[in-house]
Amino acid sequence: MAEVRRFADADELGRTLAAEIAAAQPRLLGCPGGRSLLTTYRHLPGLPETRLVMMDEYLPVPPTSAHFSCRGFAERELPRAREIWMPDPDDPPAYDDRIAEAGGIDLFLLASGASDGHVAMLGPGAPRDGRTSVVPLAESTRRDNLATFPEFESLGEVPTQGISVGLGTIADARALRMVIHGEDKRGAIDRLLSYERFDPEWPASIVHDHDDAEILLA
């Protein structure tokens, strides 16, 4: 079962985690988009020797100017780094090959969907050994995306497909840090802490299936 760390608020959590990342200087850092890691990213200094491995992107791939573009998010919100990597929808397996050839991900930062525990674009039922692939987005995940990207005016505007790393890709990282905070995530926190091991119906529980995993809460 993953270790749990609690913080007074999201800013304290972000400052602490950012300092730990800066001290470690990971060569490959797995990164989600969205709200949960914003305080961490904003406290991170430049990482000139780090490659940022983004988890996913919507399909069809939006322009970086789009409010929901994962690459656009990375370019706007993440610290300066050596490179930003994105999965290629025309060759999904190449992403796992590229990660392996570079020595593997040192630290994967994770966030959990509020209503279904999705990680990246992997909703309930995602396979434990899954690799980077084009995936359909569960309706529950798309509804969560309405809160993540409030410029979506209706569920119909949220894409129905994406390219995403798999749970196997995530679990192969040397360390995992799951960040969850906010009143809208209280149910997700309770659900995640109710598990002692991975359950495919709540993908965020992958943290319980790893030897070096922590859940950071505020």
Side-chain angles (χ1 to χ4, degrees):
M1 187 172 179
E3 178 184 348
V4 177
R5 299 165 64 189
R6 297 181 184 273
F7 298 86
D9 54 38
D11 191 66
E12 181 189 51
L13 188 164
R15 282 188 284 107
T16 302
L17 181 55
E20 293 170 359
I21 295 168
Q25 289 293 310
R27 292 168 304 116
L28 266 66
L29 177 65
C31 298
R35 299 168 293 165
S36 296
L37 271 295
L38 278 175
T39 57
T40 301
Y41 296 150
R42 290 172 181 172
H43 284 293
L44 267 175
L47 299 170
E49 299 304 317
T50 298
R51 295 178 171 94
L52 305 178
V53 182
M54 301 306 293
M55 303 182 84
D56 50 24
E57 182 59 280
Y58 291 100
L59 296 178
V61 176
T64 57
S65 59
H67 68 95
F68 61 97
S69 164
C70 296
R71 174 174 283 281
F73 176 93
E75 293 176 354
R76 292 188 302 270
E77 303 291 351
L78 271 69
R80 181 178 57 84
R82 181 172 177 177
E83 291 179 300
I84 297 173
W85 290 3
M86 302 292 298
D88 180 359
D90 293 327
D91 190 4
Y95 206 44
D96 289 282
D97 293 342
R98 187 181 191 188
I99 291 167
E101 288 167 4
I105 294 173
D106 297 297
L107 172 62
F108 222 132
L109 305 175
L110 304 173
S112 169
S115 67
D116 62 0
H118 69 265
V119 175
M121 293 180 176
L122 306 170
R128 165 63 179 77
D129 58 353
R131 297 291 169 180
T132 304
S133 62
V134 173
V135 297
L137 273 65
E139 182 172 327
S140 53
T141 299
R142 293 172 66 229
R143 289 190 181 280
D144 281 351
N145 288 172
L146 285 172
T148 302
F149 302 103
E151 290 182 55
F152 285 132
E153 295 184 355
S154 68
L155 185 64
E157 293 185 2
V158 182
T160 60
Q161 277 194 318
I163 180 167
S164 174
V165 298
L167 291 178
T169 310
I170 292 168
D172 280 350
R174 293 178 181 85
L176 305 179
R177 298 293 182 265
M178 171 74 71
V179 172
I180 315 179
H181 55 78
E183 288 302 318
D184 64 324
K185 295 288 183 81
R186 296 304 170 197
I189 290 171
D190 291 344
R191 179 76 177 263
L192 180 59
L193 297 184
S194 73
Y195 293 104
E196 295 184 355
R197 59 184 60 85
F198 172 66
D199 187 318
E201 290 308 304
W202 198 259
S205 64
I206 190 67
V207 295
H208 294 311
D209 199 23
H210 197 282
D211 292 336
D212 186 356
E214 295 178 359
I215 302 168
L216 285 70
L217 306 176

